[in-house]
Amino acid sequence: MPQIRLLPSHVVDRIAAGEVVERPAAAVKELVENALDAGASRITVSLQEGGIRRIEVSDDGSGMSAAELPVAIQRHATSKLSETADLVHITTLGFRGEALPSIGAAARLAITSRPQGAETAYSIRVEGGIVSEVEPAAGTPGTRIVVSDLFFATPARRAFLRSPRVEADHAEAVIRRLALSAPGVGFRLEHEGRTILDLAPADRRGRLAALLSTDEAEALVSVEAEREEVILSGFAGAAATHRATGAAQYLVVNGRPVIDPVLKTALRVAYLEVIPRGRFPVAGLWLDLPHRAVDVNVHPAKTELRFRDAERIRGLLISALRAALSRPAVLQYQPRAALRGYGRAANAYADPAAPPAPAYDGPAARLAEPGITDTLERPVSMLAETQLPLDASPLARSIPRPEAVAPPAPHHPLGAAVAQVLDTYIIAVAADGTLILVDQHAAHERLTHEALREQVAGPAGPRSQPMLLPAVIDLTQADAARLAEAAPDLARLGLEIEGFGPGAIMVRALPAVLGLADPAPLLRDIADELGELGETTALSEKLDAVVARMACHGSIRAGRRLNEAEMNALLRQMEQVPRAATCSHGRPTFLKMSRAEIETLFGRRGN
């Protein structure tokens, strides 16, 4: 058996580097955290090839002296801790003293620093763990760090990196989280010479708004709560504002940006009853509590925490968010996109101050597209809707008189519609007395999904509906680049787009089956979906995920009133689709209760 022995120091350094720096974004995070700890008021990050080839971080912080530079690149050298007691009272983002030596062990590292008030800057270099002498250099007050050829010393690890675009996306996500944790600091992120982010110092709401879309920023509501020594503050999106992923959830604990499962779960639970399943709320929340009540030294990247009383923290978040969402102003909020016209002439330039269009003025508010048609080209005619008086019960709409209800036909498994409740669910009765409850949005989503899939598989592909005026959608540069790259594949789905400068996409046509008036929410969700799937996902899987997302946007919504003809048309279409029992996300579209089950519930069986 081989003898147990100590590893050489350079091997230890490279092992440590793998724990701290697993990709360029991790190096960016460590360097920016150091800049913030140094009191910087402006931080600039420049990347080449997503940070694989080069990372440059410059700040105007306190800087380091010539004597401090060779110490700073040694393991466990830090100015942020001095005694064991400090580990339970950590007030800085970094504290382990591992970042610079770990980066220097895995890449070529050059540090140039000049303390505030000093006349000269000094520099030091580290290449694969080999340290140069400290030399005088030209430099402004603060610190400039350049990381070149990441993982050149460990080629096996470099082979696991993704494409430059994906790595740049991860770095941008890191900068966004850090920028929200320090709103008073200016941030600039560049990639291949292009500006990705340029954030001026702001207050908390201003910084969060700069990281979100205009509609999302307008829908923010204040969240404030305090329980004993725990203070929660920040902003969350109204119930009508949500995304396909959790990319717009920013959480800060004692000034540290985190991706913590306890807080993420609390956020999800708070919105559980107000947003569709599978959607993610938008939020920027700051949690401040005594340092003794939280342990930040439990994760190599310091993004997860251990709360002394996790249940109390979770309960505070849930109750505070639910209280904010229950305010009357929040309940009445509709995003700007919802106020735009629904007709064929509607586009992204519609006046947001204009009154909403009539409920059935166009394709987005009609059931004339797949799901409420005999074929894709022959829509069922809309019947005039009877308006209920204001004092009518909100629980049941469009309930026909018993004598007016057509008896269910034996060959219709889903029966005949008899009522719509909560403007969301259709009650139907089959010929054998079975009671059926249908979720109209989930059902129509499946029908739209299947119609799109059938068109995609056909020789001609989905039919596009050109917009009268092309719509320009503002996005993050990463989302815009992701969509522009996928444009040829999206065109196969009837969605015709093209890049329109940095951070913008022009939409020329939409799939006709959707009948959407405003393409902005759809494009943001598709960008999120593509980002979540990544490059390793097969093209067919990506397209099917996009089709599912399109189906969700092109379906009738919960809260939409239907008349008897519309409800029955939906039921008939469901009976013709083999997979109509579930929506595109796997949720049931209808529930059945037999006459025997109903009689059992009421104690009538056997009597």
Side-chain angles (χ1 to χ4, degrees):
M1 293 292 292
Q3 292 183 339
I4 298 174
R5 61 186 182 277
L6 293 174
L7 292 173
S9 59
H10 68 280
V11 176
V12 173
D13 289 341
R14 291 182 182 178
I15 292 173
E19 295 178 352
V20 178
V21 185
E22 78 276 11
R23 68 189 326 154
V28 169
K29 172 183 176 295
E30 297 291 342
L31 297 178
V32 173
E33 285 183 347
N34 281 348
L36 291 171
D37 286 340
S41 62
R42 180 74 182 175
I43 301 173
T44 300
V45 180
S46 179
L47 307 176
Q48 290 182 14
E49 296 183 9
I52 301 171
R53 180 179 178 185
R54 180 184 171 91
I55 301 169
E56 181 178 329
V57 178
S58 302
D59 67 69
D60 59 355
S62 59
M64 293 177 283
S65 67
E68 290 176 307
L69 283 175
V71 180
I73 59 174
Q74 296 182 35
R75 292 189 66 203
H76 307 305
T78 180
S79 62
K80 303 165 188 177
L81 292 177
S82 58
E83 298 179 358
T84 303
D86 292 339
L87 283 173
V88 295
H89 191 75
I90 296 173
T91 60
T92 55
L93 295 174
F95 55 87
R96 294 176 181 151
E98 293 181 321
L100 293 179
S102 295
I103 294 172
R108 295 182 172 91
L109 174 68
I111 308 174
T112 302
S113 191
R114 174 181 167 186
Q116 298 292 333
E119 296 181 356
T120 307
Y122 289 87
S123 68
I124 191 170
R125 296 178 178 274
V126 185
E127 293 194 8
I130 301 174
V131 183
S132 72
E133 296 292 329
V134 176
E135 299 176 342
T140 58
T143 301
R144 174 175 170 266
I145 297 180
V146 177
V147 180
S148 305
D149 299 327
L150 189 63
F151 298 133
F152 87 96
T154 51
R157 181 169 291 275
R158 185 164 185 163
F160 284 90
L161 295 179
R162 307 286 288 280
S163 71
R165 180 180 61 77
V166 172
E167 297 298 340
D169 287 349
H170 283 284
E172 180 185 350
V174 164
I175 295 297
R176 285 172 169 269
R177 290 194 293 270
L178 287 165
L180 194 77
S181 72
V185 177
F187 284 82
R188 183 180 179 88
L189 172 63
E190 300 173 350
H191 185 221
E192 305 293 358
R194 295 186 299 108
T195 300
I196 306 300
L197 288 174
D198 194 358
L199 304 171
D203 59 14
R204 287 180 171 181
R205 186 178 188 123
R207 176 55 57 85
L208 180 59
L211 297 174
L212 302 176
S213 70
T214 301
D215 286 343
E216 290 169 337
E218 290 177 349
L220 293 175
V221 296
S222 177
V223 180
E224 302 285 343
E226 184 172 355
R227 185 177 298 172
E228 298 177 1
E229 296 180 289
V230 182
I231 301 173
L232 174 67
S233 61
F235 309 91
T241 307
H242 40 76
R243 287 195 179 187
T245 70
Q249 295 178 358
Y250 301 99
L251 303 169
V252 181
V253 178
N254 287 352
R256 181 186 305 279
V258 297
I259 312 173
D260 186 75
V262 170
L263 304 181
K264 288 275 191 179
T265 298
L267 193 58
R268 178 179 59 82
V269 171
Y271 279 83
L272 196 60
E273 298 178 357
V274 296
I275 65 174
R277 183 179 302 175
R279 303 291 295 179
F280 295 82
V282 172
L285 301 173
W286 286 261
L287 188 68
D288 294 288
L289 67 165
H291 294 282
R292 66 179 183 277
V294 59
D295 185 359
V296 302
N297 193 24
V298 297
H299 189 275
K302 304 182 290 291
T303 56
E304 293 185 14
L305 310 171
R306 182 180 294 121
F307 294 102
R308 177 170 294 181
D309 190 348
E311 288 300 321
R312 182 176 62 153
I313 300 299
R314 185 186 294 112
L316 176 64
L317 258 71
I318 293 173
S319 61
L321 286 165
R322 285 179 173 173
L325 293 171
S326 65
R327 295 174 195 150
V330 179
L331 296 176
Q332 296 169 6
Y333 169 76
Q334 285 187 326
R336 175 181 295 180
L339 300 179
R340 293 174 177 151
Y342 287 117
R344 293 282 181 190
N347 58 76
Y349 300 108
D351 181 8
Y360 301 118
D361 187 45
R366 295 176 63 93
L367 300 180
E369 300 291 357
I372 309 299
T373 61
D374 291 330
T375 68
L376 289 177
E377 303 299 330
R378 293 189 290 121
V380 174
S381 61
M382 302 293 294
L383 301 181
E385 180 184 10
T386 302
Q387 297 294 330
L388 295 180
L390 294 178
D391 59 350
S393 169
L395 297 181
R397 313 282 190 186
S398 305
I399 302 179
R401 295 180 180 276
E403 62 269 22
V405 177
H411 59 282
H412 289 161
L414 294 182
V418 295
Q420 180 191 29
V421 295
L422 300 173
D423 289 346
T424 301
Y425 303 101
I426 298 170
I427 297 177
V429 178
D432 61 357
T434 298
L435 187 68
I436 299 125
L437 185 64
V438 178
D439 182 331
Q440 65 190 42
H441 171 69
H444 194 231
E445 180 181 335
R446 168 56 70 187
L447 298 179
T448 307
H449 190 174
E450 294 301 320
L452 271 170
R453 289 183 61 175
E454 183 177 351
Q455 291 184 14
V456 169
R463 181 169 59 88
S464 293
Q465 175 64 48
M467 302 189 72
L468 293 184
L469 290 175
V472 177
I473 311 301
D474 291 323
L475 303 161
T476 66
Q477 290 205 16
D479 285 348
R482 195 176 292 122
L483 287 169
E485 185 177 330
D489 298 322
L490 296 178
R492 294 168 51 186
L493 305 180
L495 177 59
E496 298 177 13
I497 62 173
E498 61 185 67
F500 194 73
I505 289 290
M506 177 180 286
V507 183
R508 294 194 175 277
L510 293 166
V513 69
L514 302 185
L516 294 176
D518 180 16
L522 173 63
L523 258 66
R524 292 192 183 100
D525 275 5
I526 292 177
D528 284 348
E529 195 78 53
L530 293 174
E532 192 83 357
L533 292 172
E535 294 185 330
T536 58
T537 306
L539 176 61
S540 59
E541 293 181 34
K542 287 185 179 180
L543 292 181
D544 200 49
V546 172
V547 167
R549 189 61 59 192
M550 287 181 171
C552 183
H553 281 266
S555 302
I556 58 175
R557 315 303 297 180
R560 160 72 194 282
R561 297 186 191 182
L562 308 180
N563 58 38
E564 183 184 353
E566 295 166 344
M567 291 188 285
N568 281 314
L570 179 61
L571 298 178
R572 301 292 79 79
Q573 283 289 321
M574 290 175 66
E575 292 165 350
Q576 298 171 19
V577 174
R579 298 197 296 173
T582 60
C583 74
S584 304
H585 307 291
R587 297 189 296 269
T589 58
F590 65 88
L591 303 174
K592 283 187 173 183
M593 185 177 292
S594 68
R595 179 170 183 169
E597 291 171 322
I598 296 173
E599 290 178 341
T600 298
L601 288 175
F602 283 99
R604 288 181 172 272
R605 297 289 290 176
N607 293 336

